[in-house]
Amino acid sequence: MSQHPVPEPLVLTQGDITRVAADAIVNAANTSLLGGGGVDGAIHRAAGPGLLAECRTLHGCPTGEARITGGYHLPARHVIHTVGPVWQGGHKGERETLARCYRSVFELVERHGLRSVAFPSISTGAYRFPLSEAAPIALRELRAALVRLPRLEQVTVVLFSAEDLDVYRQALAAAGAPS
Ligand code: ADP
């Protein structure tokens, strides 16, 4: 056994992302960045009012882009807010926009030299992106980032339900071993 085990680079887990101690957790926000339901509401509740105060200074975020703030009372040091696409049937560029969210998050991860980041399943709640379509897009972008960013040690996907975790596991198995 090594004294300093190398972290597993890509981890899929079930749980509440507000409990995750990473350099950053990702928020599936809306364009106002002023809080909402789902994971956004949970993150704001757990972080406390300082997060909303900082978000007010950002004046929103367009769909597909990302913004970084502090983590306040969260165990995570930062929150990276990104705005996923609303699913409108799949012919409005939703897949490309979802991929752009992940890339926008990783631009900030790189710029801030972050080593660990945890994601929820962006757009698959209130924004209705089918999970079976979102999971392979997410996993492709996460693996690409792990290859591209030498300082990035661990990416975790935190699925809220066992069913969602199953879909991600199947998508990972279908994608095969990393090349
Ligand atoms: P969106 O508007 O991008 O669809 P939602 O918050 O509605 O965002 O849903 C995104 C995903 O986050 C859903 O799969 C939902 O079940 C999940 N989710 C909700 N709360 C949490 C939480 N505390 N931790 C992790 N995932 C969560």
Side-chain angles (χ1 to χ4, degrees), residues 15-18 28 37-40 42 120-127 158 160 164:
D16 177 355
I17 201 165
T18 67
V39 71
D40 194 6
S121 183
I122 297 163
S123 279
T124 65
Y127 285 2
V158 183
F160 209 40
D164 287 5

Side-chain angles (χ1 to χ4, degrees), residues 15-19 27-30 37-43 45 82-86 119-129 131 158-161 164:
D16 177 355
I17 201 165
T18 67
R19 312 285 286 267
N27 182 15
N30 58 52
V39 71
D40 194 6
I43 287 173
R45 276 193 299 280
T82 188
V83 183
V86 176
F119 286 83
S121 183
I122 297 163
S123 279
T124 65
Y127 285 2
R128 302 184 314 273
F129 204 116
L131 193 64
V158 183
L159 286 319
F160 209 40
S161 72
D164 287 5

Side-chain angles (χ1 to χ4, degrees), residues 27-107:
N27 182 15
N30 58 52
T31 53
S32 77
L33 294 187
L34 298 181
V39 71
D40 194 6
I43 287 173
H44 275 273
R45 276 193 299 280
L51 180 60
L52 182 60
E54 184 175 357
C55 283
R56 284 191 199 287
T57 70
L58 300 176
H59 306 293
C61 177
T63 301
E65 294 189 16
R67 302 287 186 269
I68 190 166
T69 65
Y72 299 88
H73 296 310
L74 291 165
R77 284 172 46 215
H78 300 279
V79 180
I80 299 178
H81 309 259
T82 188
V83 183
V86 176
W87 181 260
Q88 296 177 77
H91 300 290
K92 297 271 171 75
E94 294 95 326
R95 294 171 186 83
E96 293 74 17
T97 306
L98 184 64
R100 206 148 54 78
C101 286
Y102 285 92
R103 289 182 206 144
S104 299
V105 169
F106 283 115
E107 278 174 26

